[in-house]
Amino acid sequence: MNKFIYASRSNIINRKMYAIVEIAGQQFKVEEGKKIFVHRLDVEDGKKIEFDQVLLLDDDGKITVGEPTVKDASVQAQVIDKVRGDKVIVFKKKRKKGYRVKNGHRQNFTQVEIISINGKVTPKKQAVKKEAPAVKEEPVKETKAEKKPAAKKPAAEEKKAVKKPVEKKTTEKKPVAKKSGKGKA
């Protein structure tokens, strides 16, 4: 009797895994099967390359952040083609001076396809507590020389520490003299 497995939600394993990788000084989010454009790499077309600067690794919700990189993690990729980007126009102008310069620029890129993400995620090790050998502590006898009282602070410092509340002086208010309106013209 042959047993068939039908495609249903419970039978399909939809494993989502991505990584943040540093390639040629830039950070990229990569997934298996994706194609990305990176700055021109000095590698021949069709060759496989490995990136070991993995900064973050997400394996179906289990996130591992590197310090600064994730140990034993790498991303394998294959170089597809070397291409040039779209033209970018650089236009400079100084008004009222008759100065105008127009230049174009096309950036060189390498198209890379991500083959696999190898992340050897190890669970964090629990701290192992080492037990120190039992040492008997003997009570220490205090001598009179060790019981010296603390030196007293100078009197000036004591006066600064103690402040007395200041009493407010109340003054009687004088009645305001009314100005006469004779001086106005």
Side-chain angles (χ1 to χ4, degrees):
M1 181 173 153
N2 291 338
K3 188 174 183 180
F4 294 102
I5 298 176
Y6 295 99
S8 66
R9 289 184 186 202
S10 61
N11 292 334
I12 295 175
I13 299 173
N14 194 8
R15 184 175 173 199
K16 294 182 180 181
M17 184 173 190
Y18 72 89
I20 305 292
V21 183
E22 185 174 333
I23 302 170
Q26 291 184 320
Q27 296 178 5
F28 295 93
K29 178 181 177 181
V30 296
E31 296 178 15
E32 290 185 15
K34 296 284 183 173
K35 295 178 183 177
I36 59 172
F37 291 98
V38 298
H39 284 295
R40 181 62 60 95
L41 299 175
D42 196 21
V43 181
E44 297 175 12
D45 293 348
K47 286 220 172 187
K48 293 185 180 181
I49 53 177
E50 182 174 319
F51 304 112
D52 58 350
Q53 294 288 322
V54 179
L55 306 174
L56 183 135
L57 193 65
D58 183 6
D59 187 9
D60 199 26
K62 297 177 184 175
I63 297 175
T64 306
V65 179
E67 300 169 358
T69 59
V70 179
K71 293 181 182 178
D72 300 328
S74 63
V75 174
Q76 279 75 32
Q78 182 175 4
V79 176
I80 297 174
D81 194 13
K82 293 186 179 180
V83 295
R84 299 188 79 190
D86 295 335
K87 182 176 263 191
V88 178
I89 303 297
V90 180
F91 185 73
K92 299 178 183 179
K93 179 182 178 179
K94 294 185 181 179
R95 63 191 192 107
K96 298 180 183 178
K97 304 295 180 193
Y99 173 77
R100 291 185 293 171
V101 175
K102 181 179 177 182
N103 284 323
H105 174 73
R106 293 183 72 183
Q107 185 69 37
N108 296 323
F109 291 110
T110 301
Q111 188 176 13
V112 176
E113 182 180 7
I114 306 301
I115 298 171
S116 67
I117 300 172
N118 298 329
K120 299 175 184 173
V121 180
T122 57
K124 292 184 178 180
K125 296 179 182 178
Q126 295 179 353
V128 179
K129 296 181 180 178
K130 295 181 180 179
E131 294 182 17
V135 178
K136 294 181 181 178
E137 295 182 15
E138 296 179 12
V140 180
K141 296 181 181 179
E142 296 181 12
T143 60
K144 292 181 182 179
E146 291 178 4
K147 291 186 180 180
K148 290 183 180 178
K152 292 186 178 181
K153 295 181 181 179
E157 290 182 11
E158 288 179 9
K159 289 181 182 177
K160 288 181 183 177
V162 179
K163 291 186 178 181
K164 296 179 183 178
V166 179
E167 294 180 14
K168 293 184 179 180
K169 296 180 182 179
T170 56
T171 57
E172 295 179 15
K173 292 185 179 180
K174 297 179 182 178
V176 179
K178 293 184 181 180
K179 293 183 181 178
S180 62
K182 294 179 183 177
K184 293 183 180 178

